[in-house]
Amino acid sequence: MPYSHEIIVPNDDIPFKMFIFEGKDGGYMREKHWHRSIEIFALFEGELEFFVEEDRHPLVPGEFMLVNSNEIHSVFSPKPNRTVVLQIPLSTFEKYYTDEKFIYFSHTSRIQDEEVMHLIQDMYHRYSEKQCGYELKVQSQFFMLLYILVTKYREIDVNEELVRKHRKLDRLSLITSYMKENYQSDISLESLAETFGYSPTYLSRMFRKYAKTNYKACLDDIRLEHAVKDLTESQASIGEIAYSNGFPNNKAFSKIFKKRYGILPSTYRRTLNQ
């Protein structure tokens, strides 16, 4: 199973992203992925199961999971739950890096866990109510949370292999972000490698080793995501959708679509109108 790179965009009125977990209704699985942000899942009701790299981390109410930047993880929510998610841009911790663009937080429970949970619960409550001055109060609590993270959860002594893997995924994050911005263009492995200063062979190896996929499959996934949205929301022809999303022609689009979803784009569109 290939790993996907997720781009995090903060909320409009606060310098981080905060929301209720999309798997709140249960029966939900988010496959392995990574991003450059620090992510916190605070579980208040129900249960969650995390896999960070290869380690399993089940959560019960009152616990949170902290996912580091460029840490490959997946999450499974078998039952309805109430979980608040915070996604904090990596640059927030710039003054506290232990290596170039690198900071690592422990997953181990601490005495501060209860304080962190109370902070997050109140932050989300105040943010949801949006009473006068809520941005100031939420941000003051956010800075308290940052203080706890860098003083109580930050790891100073980290092995070199972890740092090396972080660097590779950080670089792949930049590359996949570029692909997501330019997916409509003709992006070859050779042109992508030249843009980022690698040989095509080395870049191909990076995708296989660290993202468990190849550059073409990654690019196809990005294009498919946009194409499915167009199939659902627009009246454009399938050929127009294929071309506008970077596929060379209708036939190539249909082949990749069927491989992923098991049906042709035309069949998928008909099912939407039934």
Side-chain angles (χ1 to χ4, degrees):
M1 175 65 68
Y3 306 157
S4 63
H5 171 233
E6 180 181 349
I7 296 177
I8 306 300
V9 179
N11 292 36
D12 293 334
D13 48 356
I14 51 177
F16 58 99
K17 187 172 184 179
M18 181 166 58
F19 56 95
I20 291 293
F21 178 45
E22 61 267 28
K24 60 183 175 58
D25 296 323
Y28 176 89
M29 178 69 184
R30 178 68 167 96
E31 298 291 352
K32 289 183 176 181
H33 63 288
W34 86 94
H35 40 68
R36 301 182 74 201
S37 299
I38 307 299
E39 189 169 44
I40 299 175
F41 286 77
L43 179 66
F44 295 96
E45 297 174 10
E47 60 184 74
L48 290 179
E49 186 171 7
F50 277 84
F51 287 89
V52 180
E53 303 297 344
E54 301 303 322
D55 296 328
R56 177 176 174 268
H57 298 269
L59 289 191
V60 297
E63 295 181 339
F64 68 90
M65 185 67 216
L66 195 156
V67 181
N68 287 288
S69 171
N70 293 329
E71 203 162 44
I72 295 170
H73 59 287
S74 61
V75 56
F76 174 50
S77 59
K79 300 177 181 178
N81 61 88
R82 186 167 68 89
T83 307
V84 176
V85 183
L86 274 70
Q87 294 170 331
I88 307 170
L90 179 62
S91 58
T92 304
F93 301 96
E94 185 174 3
K95 293 182 179 178
Y96 301 94
Y97 291 156
T98 52
D99 194 85
E100 182 183 357
K101 294 185 180 180
F102 180 80
I103 188 169
Y104 186 83
F105 297 102
S106 170
H107 300 296
T108 306
S109 297
R110 303 287 175 87
I111 195 170
Q112 288 78 21
D113 282 7
E114 187 175 351
E115 184 178 0
V116 169
M117 293 295 292
H118 283 313
L119 268 174
I120 293 174
Q121 185 174 38
D122 197 50
M123 285 167 65
Y124 186 77
H125 175 71
R126 292 178 184 276
Y127 186 76
S128 300
E129 288 193 332
K130 287 185 166 52
Q131 295 183 1
C132 179
Y134 75 94
E135 307 101 317
L136 299 174
K137 181 61 178 179
V138 170
Q139 290 191 63
S140 71
Q141 294 172 310
F142 176 61
F143 281 110
M144 185 63 199
L145 175 62
L146 297 182
Y147 171 76
I148 294 174
L149 292 179
V150 300
T151 59
K152 307 299 182 183
Y153 290 86
R154 183 175 59 139
E155 295 284 348
I156 303 299
D157 298 319
V158 182
N159 69 69
E160 182 57 33
E161 177 59 30
L162 186 61
V163 175
R164 187 182 303 113
K165 184 174 183 179
H166 166 86
R167 289 177 185 149
K168 298 297 185 183
L169 281 173
D170 195 56
R171 194 62 175 167
L172 274 178
S173 295
L174 294 175
I175 294 169
T176 54
S177 294
Y178 174 87
M179 293 166 70
K180 289 181 179 184
E181 291 171 1
N182 297 278
Y183 69 94
Q184 295 169 308
S185 304
D186 181 17
I187 304 175
S188 66
L189 177 62
E190 290 73 21
S191 65
L192 193 63
E194 183 178 359
T195 297
F196 288 91
Y198 294 113
S199 72
T201 301
Y202 184 80
L203 181 58
S204 177
R205 199 160 53 235
M206 278 180 64
F207 270 98
R208 289 198 306 271
K209 181 175 181 179
Y210 296 101
K212 307 301 181 186
T213 188
N214 59 65
Y215 109 93
K216 185 62 168 56
C218 180
L219 182 58
D220 286 343
D221 284 346
I222 295 168
R223 288 171 170 168
L224 271 179
E225 182 180 348
H226 289 276
V228 169
K229 183 178 180 182
D230 288 345
L231 278 171
T232 305
E233 300 178 0
S234 81
Q235 298 301 315
S237 70
I238 292 174
E240 290 171 335
I241 290 173
Y243 182 76
S244 66
N245 287 290
F247 293 100
N249 51 54
N250 186 4
K251 184 177 180 181
F253 170 48
S254 296
K255 181 179 179 181
I256 293 170
F257 190 98
K258 186 174 183 180
K259 183 177 179 182
R260 167 59 66 86
Y261 297 105
I263 58 176
L264 292 170
S266 56
T267 307
Y268 174 82
R269 176 170 264 179
R270 283 198 297 271
T271 63
L272 297 175
N273 299 320
Q274 290 178 355

